[in-house]
Amino acid sequence: MILEQLKETENFTSSERMIAKYVLEHAEHVGHLTASDLAKESYTSKTTVIRLCKKLGMKGYQDFIRQVGIEAAESKRVNALLESEPFNENSTYEDIVQKLPSIYDSAVGNTKLSLDRNVVRRVVNRIRQADKVDFYGNVNRLE
């Protein structure tokens, strides 16, 4: 992923780091910039911008900007989803232990509500009529 590559700056020149920093801070808006505009905003040169795009495995600047836009939009979507989650990186063990049973109960309750009695009956009847039923599973043993 381009945004992840931009965070790993140890093999970047100081100018490439400046571009990476600017793109990471303004990922949602760099799609409107030309290579010259990005160079100006990051206090670098257009040549350095193009060189960084190639270094990151992109065909060119347009490919780079398109990928940054896609990843920025996906990151925004995922972050919005995670905001509604009961846990985050600051959650303690105690927080998790306290909240987990209610999440489990909610999942079981929602599953019960979504089951259609007629569909379950049809599935049971098909299993009964089957000559052979295969079950597959994976057992991970901690030893």
Side-chain angles (χ1 to χ4, degrees):
M1 294 179 64
I2 292 300
L3 295 179
E4 291 300 317
Q5 287 179 287
L6 290 172
K7 291 175 186 173
E8 300 295 323
T9 62
E10 63 186 41
N11 294 324
F12 288 1
T13 65
S14 60
S15 294
E16 291 169 343
R17 283 187 185 106
M18 292 168 62
I19 296 167
K21 183 177 189 274
Y22 185 87
V23 171
L24 290 170
E25 290 174 358
H26 304 92
E28 294 180 20
H29 307 291
V30 293
H32 304 293
L33 301 177
T34 64
S36 297
D37 293 337
L38 178 56
K40 194 180 302 178
E41 292 294 326
S42 61
Y43 303 103
T44 60
S45 70
K46 180 179 177 182
T47 304
T48 304
V49 170
I50 302 301
R51 187 177 61 235
L52 178 60
C53 295
K54 300 280 187 180
K55 189 177 205 174
L56 296 171
M58 300 286 106
K59 293 177 186 170
Y61 181 73
Q62 290 303 319
D63 190 30
F64 171 75
I65 288 301
R66 182 182 56 76
Q67 191 62 35
V68 167
I70 290 168
E71 291 181 20
E74 182 64 13
S75 178
K76 185 177 179 180
R77 185 187 74 77
V78 168
N79 287 337
L81 287 171
L82 291 176
E83 284 178 8
S84 65
E85 291 299 316
F87 308 121
N88 61 38
E89 65 274 0
N90 298 321
S91 296
T92 65
Y93 174 79
E94 289 75 21
D95 292 338
I96 295 168
V97 169
Q98 289 295 318
K99 293 176 185 174
L100 209 49
S102 65
I103 293 170
Y104 175 78
D105 288 344
S106 176
V108 170
N110 288 336
T111 302
K112 266 176 99 172
L113 291 173
S114 66
L115 289 176
D116 182 333
R117 186 177 293 271
N118 291 327
V119 172
V120 172
R121 282 188 181 135
R122 282 192 304 230
V123 169
V124 168
N125 286 334
R126 290 223 176 147
I127 291 173
R128 284 183 179 155
Q129 294 171 358
D131 293 332
K132 180 179 176 183
V133 177
D134 292 326
F135 289 95
Y136 298 92
N138 184 8
V139 177
N140 289 324
R141 294 184 182 189
L142 298 174
E143 296 181 31

